[in-house]
Structure formats: structure tokens, C-alpha cells
Amino acid sequence: MARTHYIAGNWKMNTSRAEAVKLAQDLVAVLKDKKGKYMIGVPFVYLDAVSQVIKGSNIILGAQDVAATANGAHTGEVSTEMLKDVGVQTVIIGHSERRHEIGESDELINKKVRRCLSEGLDVVLCIGELLADREAGNAETVCAFQLSADLAGVSAEQMAHVTIAYEPVWAIGTGKTATPEDAEAIHKFCREYIAKLYNQKVADETIIQYGGSMKASNAKDLLAQPDIDGGLIGGASLKADTFAPICEF
Ligand code: PEP
């Protein structure tokens, strides 16, 4: 089965309510005739408003995080039930800013992944090495560890609802991008590793996005690589005219 190009925007902790609505309206207009798969990861408090705007469009509503547990006494958390209630279909889990700024562990990330999948939400699981890992020659080891730890207990059938985003931490928001060749090498490694964890069919069908300062000027070469199936875009997703061109390739 051919993998569809999947381009996702991660708005992070940005926009006002009015800006979020306007950006969503602009994206609905510019993406309406495009044939790829598109998602926007919207701040929790604007999900409901954006959901109304993109309803019926070809844009998937994503959240940037989720609680690992069901509704209950968990102050400040946002559950899968709440996300589904406002129309969320997919959740970004394990973003490096949550791993390294908030201190999320692979154990917690795995709980969130399994919670979403068991509740019918799709997942974009972010993995990737720190600069020190890369310089020590450990990029593959880190990605393999994160894949096996974060996907523990996830079945081959459930993998149809999991997208992997390979995001070298040193490339996120820094303007530094992995070369297409370096990114492809890790993507290929991850696909082979998924084949070991599951089977070749799952590996062939899993979409692996690249993330890390992707923009219109470098997206074409990155997306031309055989194992790079899309992008998770931070900075360039905050304006329709910087996001839409990435969706052209
Ligand atoms: C991200 O937030 O996942 C990301 C890749 O950010 P940026 O595109 O700004 O590097």
C-alpha cells in the first residue's frame, strides 16, 4: 500500500483565539483542493473554536498532548474523552519539548499512546536524538529505544493509527535541518526497526514524518527521500502562506 504524504502543523503555545480561527480559515481555503493528508496541532483552549472552522474540510484536528488517564481527579489534565468531545482525531505525543522541558518519560509517553489508541484516537509519536547523542554516534540507538519503549503493548493492528515523527532535537526551532541524506538514513533505520518490532507490512505502511526546521525551501528535497513520508512543522505552520507551499510536494 502506498503511503500518503502527511503534513502536520504543530502550533505549539502560539496564537490568540482570533489568530487561531483566522489561520484555520486560511488553511481550509488554501488546502481544499490538495490531495495529501493534513493535520493541525492546536492549543487545547482553541480546539473547540478551530474544530468549528475545519469541520467538513480535509484538515484533521490534532491536540498537542493528552492525559494518560480517564476523566477524574487530575487537576490541569485534558482527557481523551474531552478531546474527542470537541472533534479531535489525533494527538501529538512525546514531542521533544515535552520530553526535555517538562520531563515526560518514555513510560508516560507509552501510557498516553496506549490510552489514545484504546480510545479511538490516532497518534503522532515524536522521537529523536539530542545533539550530544548524534555527536556520540548514538542517534539510531536513541530512536530504537524510544520506538520500542513508546510502542510497548501496541499491536500490529493498532499501528495503522500511529504515525512516527522523527525530529532530531537539535533541528527543532533552530533553523538547522538534517540533510535529506542524514534524515533518510534515520527514517530507513526506523522503518527497519519497526519491521523487527512488528513485521514488514506494518513497516511499509507506517508513515514516518520528518520534523526540524522544515520549510518550503527544504521540504522538496526532504520529501523526495523514499522513507520520508511527510513533515511535522512548527514555526512554518503558523502562517498559511508558509505552511501551504510545504503541502505542494
Ligand atoms: C516541531 O515543533 O515539531 C518542529 C519541528 O518545529 P520547527 O519546525 O519550528 O523546527
Side-chain angles (χ1 to χ4, degrees):
M1 195 186 76
R3 298 183 296 268
T4 316
H5 265 173
Y6 183 7
I7 309 291
N10 175 14
W11 294 1
K12 309 195 187 190
M13 196 170 72
N14 289 299
T15 78
S16 65
R17 187 182 195 281
E19 287 164 349
V21 166
K22 170 79 169 59
L23 178 53
Q25 287 167 338
D26 291 348
L27 290 172
V28 168
V30 292
L31 298 180
K32 73 175 188 319
D33 296 321
K34 303 214 187 303
K35 302 279 175 270
K37 183 172 175 181
Y38 310 109
M39 182 270 269
I40 47 179
V42 175
F44 285 139
V45 291
Y46 305 136
L47 281 167
D48 200 9
V50 170
S51 181
Q52 309 305 321
V53 176
I54 66 174
K55 200 175 279 175
S57 76
N58 59 349
I59 304 173
I60 296 165
L61 185 64
Q64 300 172 17
D65 187 33
V66 65
T69 48
N71 275 348
H74 306 289
T75 304
E77 290 282 73
V78 177
S79 67
T80 51
E81 294 92 324
M82 294 169 181
L83 295 183
K84 287 193 291 185
D85 196 23
V86 294
V88 168
Q89 294 155 275
T90 194
V91 183
I92 299 169
I93 298 180
H95 191 279
S96 69
E97 286 149 16
R98 299 205 61 81
R99 290 177 188 265
H100 301 295
E101 282 180 20
I102 316 279
E104 283 194 10
S105 66
D106 288 285
E107 192 186 353
L108 179 61
I109 289 164
N110 174 246
K111 280 191 186 143
K112 292 181 176 188
V113 169
R114 285 187 289 131
R115 171 95 198 137
C116 281
L117 294 173
S118 68
E119 289 293 302
L121 286 165
D122 289 351
V123 166
V124 174
L125 171 65
C126 303
I127 61 165
E129 81 284 359
L130 296 164
L131 183 58
D133 299 319
R134 175 156 283 262
E135 287 176 344
N138 290 336
E140 291 184 354
T141 314
V142 169
C143 291
F145 174 78
Q146 291 175 342
L147 284 173
S148 53
D150 302 347
L151 295 173
V154 173
S155 70
E157 290 69 36
Q158 287 176 315
M159 282 299 288
H161 300 280
V162 175
T163 293
I164 304 298
Y166 166 61
E167 302 204 297
V169 181
W170 47 271
I172 297 179
T174 58
K176 291 184 197 149
T177 318
T179 63
E181 296 73 26
D182 283 349
E184 167 60 20
I186 299 285
H187 280 239
K188 186 166 184 292
F189 170 82
C190 289
R191 198 174 305 288
E192 286 165 4
Y193 195 76
I194 292 168
K196 279 189 207 148
L197 289 176
Y198 294 95
N199 56 53
Q200 194 58 47
K201 182 171 182 289
V202 169
D204 288 341
E205 292 180 355
T206 299
I207 292 176
I208 309 180
Q209 299 171 325
Y210 169 80
S213 300
M214 196 189 248
K215 42 190 180 288
S217 58
N218 57 30
K220 189 174 182 196
D221 289 343
L222 286 159
L223 294 170
Q225 301 299 313
D227 290 290
I228 301 183
D229 309 314
L232 180 56
I233 325 291
S237 72
L238 289 171
K239 288 198 178 111
D241 58 6
T242 50
F243 188 65
I246 302 173
C247 302
E248 299 285 346
F249 302 116

